[in-house]
Amino acid sequence: MEHGSFTDNSAATFSLTDEDHTIANAVRFTLNQDPRVTFCGYSIPHPSEARVNIRVQTTGDPAREVLKDACQNLMLMCRHVRSTFDKAIEDFKASNAVKAMKIDSQDSSGDDSEESE
Amino acid sequence: MAEGVGEEKKKFSIWDLPDVPMGQLPPHLELQRSRVSCNKDAPIHTESIQYSGAYASMGIDNSSRLDRFSNNFRVEVVQLNKDDMEFDMIGIDAAIANSFRGILIAELPTMAIEKVLIANNTSIIQDEVLAHRLGLVPIRVDPRLFEYLSENDQPNEKNTIVFKLHVQCKRGSPRITVKLDALKWLPNGSELVKETRNATSDSSSKPETYTYFGCSQEIIPEFVKNPIIPKYPDIIIAKLGPGQEIELEAHAVKGIGKTHAKWSPVATAWYRMLPELRIDCNCCIIGTYRR
């Protein structure tokens, strides 16, 4: 739900139901990073009700578009985090497997194997 | 010269500007922007300066574009065991890290026992206490293989796991402790027969049970080698004295931690900022936390 004015669409309050700090803080962070935004913040009107109000004020662009762009940026950021995380896990598992093999070879043969990295 | 006055003001878009030169902030501002200092009485600079125009008067761009984020972001795994994991995320803000933590605790689906059909319980553990304990039991199964069960759905092999528990302590024998290894998986569905009002005359049809399994869950390839069992078979559920008996059937469904904490996949998840120690030349140690 968007509470704004018909004449000036650069400032609006978006009310999201069934949401909490998890998405509101993340969206507020990405909104702040956008240079078109002059003010953005979020509030939770009542803790028992799962509703979040996000206020966006921009330098002229419609607030709806800026919010959509911020959500898109957040999605891309999370996608990048996911791929980096997966790769880091694979690298860790690979390096651990190599270490385990090196320890085995040292125990069985008794000579040091050279580390070539 | 007055030449500049005659020029036209062209409209340009903010995205067409060349990259704002990243000048350097003076060191005390850089400290304030990027470090939380732990002073003697309280930490200072705890709120992160996220606003993109915060240092605009100095000509420094505080916004973080996606490409700069992608270049600077790194993940380093410190420890990875079967049951716990620790890793460093470098280049991310506390807001996003906290969102990940919240999602880990409350919004990842798992399977947990939801309905317990008790046929017989003569133990001293009350029905609801027994059902509550069974709900908190962790089940070793991949929740991605199952679907959610909503109110209108019938419980079938795609959204329910059925367990059975039948223990009895005979008169004259010592007290027994009921552990989780007594919980048996029923891959063919429920065995308790529903009582129907009108007794049908055809006894050849299969009696109606509480679940409607189309096929057995055993034949699904993931479960052939790994049968579904609780993760820790030595958790104590109840204790029975002589002459007491428990007979029940438990149905496990998929859910998320927001509805009930039994569906939370993590024992807990937390994050902290990377600590950085700086020793002052006056030989007093100043501790800070690095964002």
Side-chain angles (χ1 to χ4, degrees):
Chain A
M1 202 191 314
E2 177 185 356
H3 303 282
S5 107
F6 287 117
T7 47
D8 176 20
N9 61 354
S10 73
T13 303
F14 298 93
S15 186
L16 312 175
T17 45
D18 256 354
E19 295 296 345
D20 58 354
H21 300 277
T22 307
I23 192 169
N25 204 12
V27 166
R28 181 190 63 92
F29 171 72
T30 41
L31 269 174
N32 252 323
Q33 303 304 309
D34 195 330
R36 298 174 286 178
V37 160
T38 57
F39 172 81
C40 81
Y42 81 93
S43 72
I44 301 200
H46 195 277
S48 306
E49 188 191 352
R51 179 180 287 268
V52 159
N53 290 345
I54 303 184
R55 172 88 186 156
V56 185
Q57 279 171 213
T58 71
T59 55
D61 285 14
R64 201 177 306 162
E65 301 302 320
V66 173
L67 184 70
K68 271 195 246 179
D69 287 345
C71 292
Q72 195 74 11
N73 273 351
L74 184 63
M75 228 167 57
L76 294 172
M77 219 186 269
C78 291
R79 200 174 292 171
H80 183 253
V81 168
R82 180 183 190 158
S83 57
T84 315
F85 182 73
D86 285 337
K87 194 165 152 319
I89 299 264
E90 279 172 22
D91 292 346
F92 183 77
K93 283 195 184 155
S95 75
N96 263 16
V98 166
K99 262 188 229 162
M101 278 185 343
K102 280 215 172 83
I103 292 172
D104 285 344
S105 69
Q106 276 180 11
D107 282 343
S108 59
S109 58
D111 41 43
D112 292 315
S113 50
E114 272 189 33
E115 267 202 34
S116 56
E117 284 197 14
Chain B
M1 304 288 282
E3 296 218 79
V5 182
E7 281 176 20
E8 274 183 55
K9 281 230 170 114
K10 280 190 290 207
K11 285 208 171 184
F12 54 85
S13 157
I14 203 167
W15 297 113
D16 290 341
L17 284 176
D19 248 354
V20 179
M22 278 292 275
Q24 288 297 321
L25 279 176
H28 63 281
L29 282 185
E30 183 65 29
L31 187 75
Q32 178 186 4
R33 187 183 75 91
S34 62
R35 305 280 196 272
V36 173
S37 308
C38 296
N39 285 353
K40 210 163 40 170
D41 36 0
I44 53 173
H45 308 318
T46 49
E47 69 286 341
S48 52
I49 314 272
Q50 295 165 355
Y51 180 46
S52 58
Y55 301 111
S57 54
M58 302 187 127
I60 289 168
D61 180 17
N62 197 24
S63 76
S64 95
R65 302 272 193 90
L66 193 62
D67 42 1
R68 222 180 295 151
F69 169 77
S70 316
N71 292 341
N72 294 342
F73 179 65
R74 281 187 352 250
V75 170
E76 283 165 22
V77 180
V78 170
Q79 185 190 337
L80 177 62
N81 302 331
K82 220 165 83 153
D83 284 338
D84 62 62
M85 169 176 190
E86 182 181 338
F87 61 96
D88 289 346
M89 287 205 283
I90 300 160
I92 201 168
D93 192 75
I96 315 268
N98 195 29
S99 294
F100 286 144
R101 184 193 66 95
I103 292 177
L104 271 173
I105 293 180
E107 293 184 31
L108 283 182
T110 44
M111 308 292 294
I113 291 177
E114 164 88 354
K115 277 211 177 86
V116 177
L117 308 168
I118 302 185
N120 190 2
N121 178 19
T122 46
S123 72
I124 52 166
I125 314 285
Q126 296 95 337
D127 287 350
E128 60 269 18
V129 174
L130 199 53
H132 179 246
R133 288 177 73 79
L134 283 172
L136 295 173
V137 155
I139 303 179
R140 200 189 68 181
V141 67
D142 189 353
R144 292 173 289 193
L145 301 167
F146 289 89
E147 299 165 355
Y148 286 99
L149 171 70
S150 66
E151 281 170 23
N152 310 329
D153 289 346
Q154 281 183 348
N156 55 27
E157 72 272 8
K158 291 198 191 55
N159 50 34
T160 316
I161 306 177
V162 181
F163 293 98
K164 174 174 132 150
L165 178 68
H166 187 178
V167 271
Q168 199 178 7
C169 185
K170 304 242 181 324
R171 281 205 180 278
S173 55
R175 279 180 288 192
I176 56 173
T177 307
V178 180
K179 295 205 176 148
L180 265 188
D181 47 13
L183 199 70
K184 302 268 175 297
W185 175 40
L186 299 178
N188 289 323
S190 168
E191 284 170 4
L192 290 180
V193 176
K194 253 196 215 169
E195 288 172 11
T196 47
R197 287 285 170 93
N198 27 335
T200 48
S201 54
D202 49 344
S203 52
S204 55
S205 65
K206 228 169 50 168
E208 199 183 317
T209 65
Y210 283 94
T211 58
Y212 303 90
F213 273 40
C215 64
S216 168
Q217 281 175 332
E218 265 173 334
I219 58 178
I220 299 175
E222 285 85 10
F223 299 142
V224 169
K225 289 266 174 65
N226 318 326
I228 301 180
I229 49 168
K231 175 117 166 75
Y232 302 104
D234 53 353
I235 298 180
I236 300 177
I237 311 182
K239 293 193 178 176
L240 292 178
Q244 295 176 354
E245 182 183 356
I246 296 182
E247 182 179 353
L248 55 82
E249 217 176 67
H251 298 185
V253 295
K254 188 169 170 178
I256 57 174
K258 246 198 223 177
T259 347
H260 193 283
K262 70 185 176 193
W263 276 299
S264 172
V266 295
T268 189
W270 75 88
Y271 80 96
R272 66 171 185 159
M273 297 199 269
L274 194 71
E276 175 185 274
L277 291 175
R278 211 186 60 201
I279 301 181
D280 205 9
C281 50
N282 294 339
C283 289
C284 55
I285 299 187
I286 301 171
T288 62
Y289 274 94
R290 188 159 143 227
R291 285 189 213 285

